[in-house]
């Protein structure tokens, strides 16, 4: 049973003492434990298909959950397959033991041969082996089931059989493998907490783990009483080896030495072996070799990842070129230092140590970490957060398995050669210094060139009667939380724009920042601009609002505080000045280095240990944004300018104001308890109130500079936020109103109020903002832009421009939606992680909360909207950047013409 390592020790001691066959009984006990682990892994595989809800509750991203589960399957299959080879084909193992190089093999020849013979002990007893495997599965599966029943017994909420059994199987494995506690105490409860807290609650997870241990496993500890109470001269009634009763006195003498008479004769015939240095000297030499090998592993991981990040484009700096190799080498170097010293415990001579220590250090660092990073980046960067196809996964696993085999079989010989000197401490440190220096030199080439910003130009004569333009994007701001859209909380400064201009019914084209912001700045829907994944950049082929205004003669500036809008993702395109206000990075990192997987893991661990939440660790707040904006406005008050201003405050973490360290963040609460919805909404509203106050200071600054009246100010949001309206939280996974209905407020130039006051009929879209501002500037609207000037009366627009098209392909949720002024159709991919219906139809004019799905009862309406949805999709694909004009079939072109989408 699990948690019995102590009892196994007693049993192993007795078996060796009374039989005299220390090597053989150790091999048998090791095989027994591997079979036990196999039973746990079989439980995992059996419970996984029906228990995936456990992984989905842990990981916010469906792709991450699938990747972790898939890695578990790969590891389980590999371990089980290897064990079956050992048990059913012992000849292969026996050959390998006798012929493969092993550390210290020359000094342990007798032991190696005895282990080899032990591996073949079950050669002719395959039915017994199969029975043992089956019983191991039964034991561990029923143990996992017991944890389910203890969770039921304490009435823990959300208990489901298969997810709890799956989590308990993993917990049992963690308990068995834990080397730092007695009987797994503490590890069991911690593992169950991490695995099941989002399903059955923290208290239910901890208590059910403790009770499950006492119900299912603790009785085995009573076996220790047998050893504690027996007399010191105890001997068993019998102990037979190969059917022959053992002489206990002779066995006791043989047990204290691993060397049999046959081993001794072999050693004496071979002659004296190479001398072994004292342990202290071996430990010092091993630590140095382990350090050097681990530094090499850090370089082999850090440099390629830095190159992968560089391929996505740099912003203002390229620190990652030296930071990545240094960070990985430092981390792995510390591990290699300790591991190399521990390897000195093996009875190796100097030549063996020089070969085996670096080979094993690389095997333990380069292979597992390299595989994990490769899998993560392939899934995220290549397959856009979807599980890679099985052939790709197998290819990666086979590739790293081959690397591991090469390090084991060929590594010792290589590192004993002259070339192996590279892993000695001084050469390895010199190589690290050279790589870091080269990276720093390369980073300097990509870094900021320095110098003060150019003096703002005077107002061109052609723009004398044109207004200044300010586009404000507030991250994660729902329309219905502003008082001018019916919100209960007063937001006087934000709504002042609508009071003095127009409050449109605004809608976003996506429910997370990057695709929505790209649509705002390019007037292209996501399919057309293509910036739809976490690693995607805004294409240089896109004509941005800033570029069009620069060509018109406007001085352009941008200030953003969301990593998705950083220069490295192309959002500085067209701006004369662009300021990405990064959070306060940890560990001396900057933006480029923050994209390292190692940094993200270290940051996550840091915030789990440090419970104090500081806003600067996540984003720069409105006060900081205003400080940069005020400086820019003071320098450009005599120019004709366009300023893009981005505020982050309503985005999570939701901080209490004034700041006191209390906040609720998505990183720590990916699946919050629904009971938290009220508290989260309260904090969210507090963030909006804080933003409203800071926005009032911006308006006051514009008035003090004398530019307020002659400035058109448009305020929008990229998306909203969900607080259990449709059974979830946060954003990015649905296209319901709470996530895509956003404020769209425009204060017009006082001298030329061109649009009607009040809330207009119909809908306004983010893609309409850029054409509207360009029209105010008297600039031509680029033909590629898909929006319209909002100053044009709604009734006068083409039919296709009175429809709102939204889409999403994020974390396994592939969605699209079409909205009219009264109706809305949403379609989702089957089996999507969020569990959304494949088709929903809402009469939003009468059902703004989208509660009644009329898809089945209104088939004609659904069919009509789907035609328009298909038309919008085809139109977006036809104007996809970089692909040229899409080829349409005659039928498709005829259908689009009928809907008014093409001439």
């Amino acid at each position: 049973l699990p948690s019995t390592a102590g009892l196994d020790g007693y049993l192993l001691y007795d078996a060796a003492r009374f039989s005299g066959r220390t090597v053989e009984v150790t091999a048998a006990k090791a095989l027994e434990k591997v079979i036990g682990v196999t039973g746990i892994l079989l439980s995992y595989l059996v419970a996984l298909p029906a228990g995936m809800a456990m992984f989905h509750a842990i990981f916010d991203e469906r792709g991450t959950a699938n990747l972790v589960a898939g890695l578990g399957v790969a590891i389980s299959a590999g371990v089980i397959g290897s064990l079956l080879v050992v048990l059913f084909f012992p000849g292969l193992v026996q050959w390998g033991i006798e012929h493969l190089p092993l550390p210290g093999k020359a000094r342990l020849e007798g032991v190696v041969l005895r282990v080899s013979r032990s591996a073949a002990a079950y050669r002719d007893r395959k039915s017994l082996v199969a029975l043992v495997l089956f019983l191991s599965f039964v034991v561990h599966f029923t143990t996992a089931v017991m944890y389910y029943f203890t969770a039921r017994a304490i009435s823990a909420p959300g208990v489901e059989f298969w997810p709890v059994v799956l989590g308990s199987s993993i917990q049992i494995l963690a308990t068995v493998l834990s080397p730092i506690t007695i009987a797994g105490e503490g590890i069991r409860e911690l593992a169950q907490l991490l695995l099941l807290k989002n399903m059955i609650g923290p208290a239910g997870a901890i208590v059910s783990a403790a009770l499950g241990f006492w119900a299912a496993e603790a009785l085995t500890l009573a076996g220790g009483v047998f050893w504690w109470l027996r007399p010191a001269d105890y001997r068993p009634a019998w102990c037979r080896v190969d059917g022959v009763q053992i002489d206990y006195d002779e066995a006791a003498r043989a047990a204290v030495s691993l060397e049999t008479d046959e081993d001794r004769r072999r050693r004496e015939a071979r002659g004296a072996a190479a001398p072994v240095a004292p342990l202290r000297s071996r430990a010092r030499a091993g630590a140095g070799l382990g350090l050097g090998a681990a530094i090499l592993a850090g370089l082999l991981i850090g440099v390629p990842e830095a190159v992968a990040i560089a391929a996505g484009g740099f912003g203002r700096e390229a620190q990652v070129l030296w930071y990545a190799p240094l960070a990985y080498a430092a981390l792995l170097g510390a591990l290699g230092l300790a591991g190399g010293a521990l390897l000195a415990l093996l009875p190796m001579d100097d030549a063996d140590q020089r070969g085996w220590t670096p080979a094993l250090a690389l095997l333990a660092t380069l292979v597992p970490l390299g595989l994990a990073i490769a899998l993560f980046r392939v899934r995220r960067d290549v397959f856009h957060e979807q599980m890679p196809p099985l052939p790709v996964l197998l290819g990666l696993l086979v590739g790293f398995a081959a690397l591991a085999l090469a390090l084991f079989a060929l590594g010792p010989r290589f590192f004993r050669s002259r070339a192996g000197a590279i892993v000695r401490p001084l050469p390895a440190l010199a190589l690290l210094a050279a790589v870091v220096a080269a990276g720093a030199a390369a980073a300097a080439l990509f870094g900021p060139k320095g110098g003060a910003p150019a003096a703002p130009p005077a107002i061109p004569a052609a723009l004398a009667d044109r207004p200044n333009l300010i586009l404000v994007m507030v991250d994660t701001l729902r329309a219905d939380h502003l008082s001018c859209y019916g919100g209960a909380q007063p937001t006087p400064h934000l709504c002042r724009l609508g009071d003095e201009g127009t409050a449109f019914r605004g809608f976003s084209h996506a429910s997370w920042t990057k695709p929505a912001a790209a649509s705002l700045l390019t007037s292209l829907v996501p399919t057309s601009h293509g910036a739809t994944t976490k690693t995607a950049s805004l294409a240089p082929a896109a004509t941005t609002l800033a570029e069009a205004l620069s060509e018109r003669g406007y001085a352009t500036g941008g200030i953003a505080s969301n990593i998705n809008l950083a220069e490295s993702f192309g959002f500085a395109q067209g701006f004369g000045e662009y300021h990405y206000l990064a959070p306060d990075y940890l560990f001396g990192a900057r933006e480029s280095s923050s994209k390292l997987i190692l940094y993200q893991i270290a940051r996550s661990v840091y915030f789990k240990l440090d419970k104090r939440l500081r806003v600067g660790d996540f984003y720069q707040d409105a006060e900081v944004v205003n400080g940069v904006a005020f400086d820019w406005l003071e320098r450009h008050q005599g120019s004709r300018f366009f300023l893009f201003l981005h505020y982050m405050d309503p985005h999570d973490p939701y901080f209490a104001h004034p700041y006191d360290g209390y906040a609720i963040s998505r990183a720590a609460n990916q699946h919050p308890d629904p009971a938290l919805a009220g508290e989260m909404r309260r904090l969210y509203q507090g963030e909006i109130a804080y933003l409203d106050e800071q926005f009032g200071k911006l308006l006051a600054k514009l008035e003090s500079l004398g530019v307020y009246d002659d400035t058109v100010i448009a305020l929008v949001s990229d998306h909203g936020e969900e607080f259990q309206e449709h059974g979830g939280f946060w954003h990015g996974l649905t296209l319901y109103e709470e996530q895509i209905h956003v404020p769209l407020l425009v204060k017009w130039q006082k001298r030329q109020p061109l649009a009607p006051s009040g809330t207009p009929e119909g809908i306004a879209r983010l893609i309409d903002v850029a054409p509207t501002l360009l029209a105010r500037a008297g600039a031509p609207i680029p033909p590629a832009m898909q929006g319209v000037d909002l100053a044009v009366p709604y009734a006068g627009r083409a039919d296709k421009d009175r429809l709102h098209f939204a889409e999403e392909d994020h974390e396994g949720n592939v969605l699209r939606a079409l909205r009219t002024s009264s109706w809305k159709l949403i379609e989702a991919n089957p089996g999507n992680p969020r569990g959304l219906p494949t088709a929903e139809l809402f009469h939003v004019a009468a059902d703004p909360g989208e509660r009644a799905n009329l898809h089945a009862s209104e088939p004609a309406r659904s069919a009509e909207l789907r035609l328009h949805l298909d038309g919008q999709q085809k139109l977006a694909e036809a104007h996809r950047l970089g692909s040229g004009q899409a080829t349409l079939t005659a039928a498709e072109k005829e259908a689009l013409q009928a809907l008014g989408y093409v001439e």
Side-chain angles (χ1 to χ4, degrees), residues 247 552 647 682 727:
D247 181 326
R552 177 64 173 150
Y647 292 105
R682 180 188 70 80

Side-chain angles (χ1 to χ4, degrees), residues 358-728:
L360 294 177
L362 279 170
L363 187 62
T365 54
L366 176 62
V367 173
L369 186 58
L371 175 60
I373 291 174
L375 283 172
F376 181 91
R377 289 209 165 269
V378 166
R379 181 188 68 83
R380 192 189 68 177
D381 301 351
V382 179
F383 293 96
H384 307 305
E385 300 178 287
Q386 304 297 309
M387 178 62 75
L390 185 59
V392 174
L393 286 176
L394 291 176
L396 284 172
L397 292 173
V398 169
F400 276 90
L403 174 61
L405 183 60
L407 286 171
F408 184 82
L410 305 177
R413 180 181 301 176
F414 172 80
F415 290 116
R416 280 194 293 263
S417 69
R418 289 186 177 182
I422 192 174
V423 295
R424 294 182 184 178
L426 289 180
L429 288 171
L431 177 63
L432 173 62
V435 171
V436 171
L445 296 176
F446 293 100
K449 299 302 182 285
I459 299 175
L463 299 179
D465 293 329
R466 295 295 177 175
N468 297 313
L469 303 171
I470 297 179
L471 173 57
V472 179
M473 190 182 91
V474 181
D475 215 299
T476 323
L477 180 61
R478 287 172 55 151
D480 61 359
H481 277 53
L482 300 186
S483 54
C484 44
Y485 287 93
Q489 175 177 277
T491 49
H493 302 297
L494 293 166
C495 287
R496 177 181 170 183
L497 301 182
D499 295 340
E500 297 179 7
T502 309
F504 293 94
R505 297 169 62 196
F507 292 91
S508 178
H509 302 278
S511 61
W512 69 286
T513 299
K514 187 180 290 181
S519 291
L520 174 68
L521 295 175
T522 65
S523 189
L524 298 172
V525 296
T527 288
S528 296
H529 63 62
T532 58
T533 65
K534 289 184 178 179
T535 57
S537 297
L538 190 60
T543 300
T544 66
L545 173 60
E547 285 178 306
L549 289 171
S550 293
E551 292 177 2
R552 177 64 173 150
Y554 275 74
T556 57
I559 303 169
S561 52
N562 186 318
I563 181 64
N564 285 297
L565 304 181
E567 299 100 319
S568 56
F569 290 124
F571 281 86
Q573 192 171 315
F575 287 97
E577 279 187 47
Y578 195 86
H579 302 273
Y580 165 54
L581 307 180
D584 300 329
Y585 292 121
L586 304 172
F587 317 120
R590 299 181 68 182
E591 179 199 335
S592 61
S593 300
S594 74
K595 298 177 182 180
L596 288 169
I597 296 172
L598 177 61
Y599 175 86
Q600 295 166 21
I601 294 172
R603 183 178 184 274
S604 176
V605 171
Y606 177 87
F607 285 121
K608 289 184 183 301
L609 297 176
D610 187 354
K611 300 300 182 182
R612 298 168 300 164
L613 295 181
R614 298 171 292 269
V615 63
D617 290 329
F618 297 89
Y619 58 83
Q620 301 302 334
D621 66 11
E623 186 173 358
V624 175
V625 174
N626 274 353
V628 179
F630 291 176
D631 173 71
W632 193 91
L633 289 168
E634 288 171 357
R635 289 188 286 111
H636 290 80
Q637 59 182 309
S639 301
R640 187 62 69 227
F641 63 78
F642 162 64
L643 176 63
F644 171 62
L645 198 56
H646 169 259
Y647 292 105
M648 189 73 172
D649 303 88
H651 197 285
D652 81 281
Y654 312 132
F655 285 92
H657 288 275
Y659 297 123
D660 60 4
Y662 175 63
I664 296 178
S665 70
R666 185 172 187 169
N669 298 273
Q670 294 180 358
H671 300 276
D673 187 328
L676 270 178
E679 171 69 358
M680 293 168 70
R681 188 185 294 268
R682 180 188 70 80
L683 291 171
Y684 178 74
Q685 291 174 331
E687 292 275 39
I688 295 174
Y690 166 78
L691 172 68
D692 185 73
E693 177 185 356
Q694 295 299 322
F695 187 71
K697 294 179 180 179
L698 173 69
L699 299 183
K701 182 67 174 179
L702 293 171
E703 289 177 321
S704 70
L705 295 175
V707 298
Y708 178 80
D709 288 343
D710 287 331
T711 300
V712 172
I713 305 174
L715 183 142
V716 300
S717 176
D718 50 353
H719 55 78
E721 192 83 322
E722 184 180 358
F723 297 98
Q724 278 290 298
E725 286 85 357
H726 288 90

Side-chain angles (χ1 to χ4, degrees), residues 719-755:
H719 55 78
E721 192 83 322
E722 184 180 358
F723 297 98
Q724 278 290 298
E725 286 85 357
H726 288 90
F729 288 96
W730 317 116
H731 58 265
L733 304 178
T734 78
L735 295 176
Y736 295 120
E737 295 290 274
E738 62 268 13
Q739 294 208 22
I740 63 170
H741 179 27
V742 296
L744 204 168
L745 305 168
V746 181
K747 182 201 81 70
W748 310 96
Q749 185 182 13
K750 187 173 183 180
R751 289 179 296 165
Q752 297 176 345
L754 300 177

Side-chain angles (χ1 to χ4, degrees), residues 104-125:
K105 182 176 179 179
R107 297 188 163 274
L108 297 173
E109 181 179 354
V111 173
V112 169
L113 290 174
R114 290 165 66 186
V115 170
S116 174
R117 289 192 294 268
S118 299
Y122 301 97
R123 183 192 304 273
D124 299 321
R125 310 197 67 181

